[in-house]
Amino acid sequence: MTKGRFAPSPSGRMHLGNIYAALISWLSAKKDGGSWLLRIEDLDRQRCKREWADRLMDDLLWLGLKWDEGPTPAGNACNAKNECTARNEGGAAPQSFFQSERDEIYQKYFRALEERGLVYDCFCRRADLLAASAPHANDGTPIYAGTCRDISAADRERLLKERAPAKRIRLPNRESIFVDGHYGPQKCKLASDTSDFILRRADGNFSYQLAVTVDDALMGVTQVARGRDLLASTHQQLFLYETLGLQKPQFLHFPLLVDKEGRRLSKRDKDLDMGYLRSRFAPQEIIGKLMFLCGFLNRDDELTLSDALELFDWEQLPKRDIVLG
């Protein structure tokens, strides 16, 4: 059976773009008669707060977007039936749906990559990586130049005395190919187009790429529906699925919700956040607005989740980004 998921980061109040992502992933999973899992991606302990996680769960429930597996606002890692389903491979001890509480699991898979000689120390500073002269991918993210890939043992020992390194994975120089469920065939050269990515940051926090891959596999996620800005990341995650021997899900990416200048909505800019939306609109009005923006309705009108489910069709969802009027 299809199991979809929504995995927000609790770094602030959700906005309309986050709700749009949640709605599409919920509709996609439920259209197949499947289940929908909620996971809290709070790896960045400085920016992510438990109070924001509780708030986003309350916002989802206010909209009627109920998850079949995941945390409760109190932080309980069980579903509505009080059944804890995210488990260790041993199958006994339940695991949290908060990524900040899953380091022990990530460490196991990180070690497996280390043992295969695929991990190396990176001492590059953030300013170097974001320099204007650095090569960038099509989505604007910097491509790592491999500065520390073949660093000498002497230089490594010297740098270790100065600062803690991040840990990068050594990618092979080969093509990665997959078929996205909405955008079709995708391919890139791993080493040159995506570059060696970070597995664990210098502060000890594990990276999004490692955590999301491990969690989706262990939690039995079979369908990942998310924004098209993560298309490039899919190649990196597929490499981890293959290398770690994990079952990969189906990927479907959808267009972004943007303003008239083509800018994505941002928590930092307080763009149409849920505090504003809840004070002015009913859940059915927000759902109707999003379905109208996606082209499923001819006019901006109220819509229930049940009605939205009947209308939803990946074939009718546009591929171009959706501009807010």
Side-chain angles (χ1 to χ4, degrees):
M1 186 176 72
T2 296
K3 181 188 284 189
R5 56 86 159 158
F6 179 55
S9 176
S11 56
R13 191 74 182 263
M14 286 198 299
H15 52 67
L16 189 64
N18 302 129
I19 293 303
Y20 159 71
L23 178 64
I24 296 299
S25 67
W26 185 90
L27 290 171
S28 183
K30 295 298 181 179
K31 192 73 173 182
D32 286 345
S35 61
W36 192 60
L37 177 146
L38 176 66
R39 184 174 65 241
I40 306 299
E41 299 199 338
D42 57 347
L43 288 169
D44 189 337
R45 281 121 169 120
Q46 289 185 322
R47 294 178 61 242
C48 297
K49 307 297 181 186
R50 187 61 65 96
E51 64 191 80
W52 286 118
D54 288 341
R55 185 65 63 85
L56 73 84
M57 285 185 266
D58 183 67
D59 285 338
L60 290 173
L61 292 173
W62 179 79
L63 284 160
L65 295 173
K66 298 178 181 178
W67 51 97
D68 301 289
E69 296 177 34
T72 69
N76 188 319
C78 297
N79 61 21
K81 297 180 181 178
N82 202 34
E83 297 168 343
C84 300
T85 54
R87 300 179 180 274
N88 275 326
E89 287 186 349
Q95 293 296 323
S96 175
F97 288 89
F98 288 84
Q99 286 190 328
S100 60
E101 299 173 353
R102 296 174 62 81
D103 277 356
E104 188 176 337
I105 296 172
Y106 307 142
Q107 181 63 26
K108 172 187 172 182
Y109 289 91
F110 174 79
R111 239 185 248 119
L113 295 169
E114 269 192 321
E115 290 169 359
R116 296 183 60 172
L118 294 174
V119 180
Y120 64 91
D121 291 338
C122 177
F123 299 92
C124 296
R125 299 184 189 277
R126 182 174 176 82
D128 300 326
L129 299 174
L130 297 177
S133 59
H136 286 68
N138 293 334
D139 62 359
T141 57
I143 295 177
Y144 183 60
T147 307
C148 298
R149 198 178 221 258
D150 298 309
I151 196 170
S152 69
D155 284 342
R156 179 179 177 277
E157 289 304 314
R158 174 179 57 81
L159 289 167
L160 279 172
K161 295 175 183 177
E162 298 177 7
R163 57 184 179 272
K167 300 286 187 176
R168 288 187 183 270
I169 191 162
R170 193 182 301 270
L171 290 177
N173 187 23
R174 65 169 173 81
E175 274 194 337
S176 168
I177 301 173
F178 77 96
V179 178
D180 182 71
H182 189 53
Y183 286 96
Q186 307 290 316
K187 72 176 181 178
C188 77
K189 291 184 178 178
L190 284 172
S192 59
D193 293 341
T194 70
S195 72
D196 298 347
F197 56 90
I198 289 177
L199 293 172
R200 194 175 70 196
R201 297 184 343 192
D203 61 8
N205 286 333
F206 286 100
S207 74
Y208 164 78
Q209 304 292 16
L210 179 63
V212 73
T213 301
V214 169
D215 284 346
D216 281 344
L218 296 188
M219 293 180 181
V221 172
T222 64
Q223 181 191 91
V224 173
R226 60 190 184 184
R228 64 143 188 90
D229 55 319
L230 291 170
L231 269 167
S233 288
T234 307
H235 292 286
Q236 298 173 337
Q237 290 158 28
L238 286 171
F239 175 76
L240 290 177
Y241 278 110
E242 177 185 335
T243 305
L244 293 169
L246 299 173
Q247 184 67 39
K248 63 184 179 183
Q250 175 195 27
F251 289 95
L252 300 103
H253 291 79
F254 45 76
L256 303 179
L257 205 59
V258 299
D259 65 14
K260 292 179 180 178
E261 284 72 45
R263 180 180 61 93
R264 285 191 303 165
L265 304 186
S266 167
K267 292 177 184 175
R268 181 175 55 197
D269 298 328
K270 305 294 183 183
D271 286 308
L272 298 177
D273 75 18
M274 285 300 291
Y276 172 87
L277 294 173
R278 287 182 65 165
S279 69
R280 289 163 174 79
F281 302 102
Q284 292 83 359
E285 291 178 280
I286 296 173
I287 293 165
K289 164 69 77 174
L290 289 171
M291 295 297 284
F292 168 71
L293 289 169
C294 290
F296 295 116
L297 285 176
N298 293 325
R299 65 181 186 277
D300 187 353
D301 203 355
E302 294 186 20
L303 201 67
T304 66
L305 275 175
S306 296
D307 290 336
L309 192 57
E310 287 193 22
L311 293 173
F312 180 75
D313 184 350
W314 276 103
E315 293 292 329
Q316 295 183 33
L317 187 68
K319 291 183 170 63
R320 67 185 184 282
D321 286 346
I322 298 168
V323 181
L324 286 172

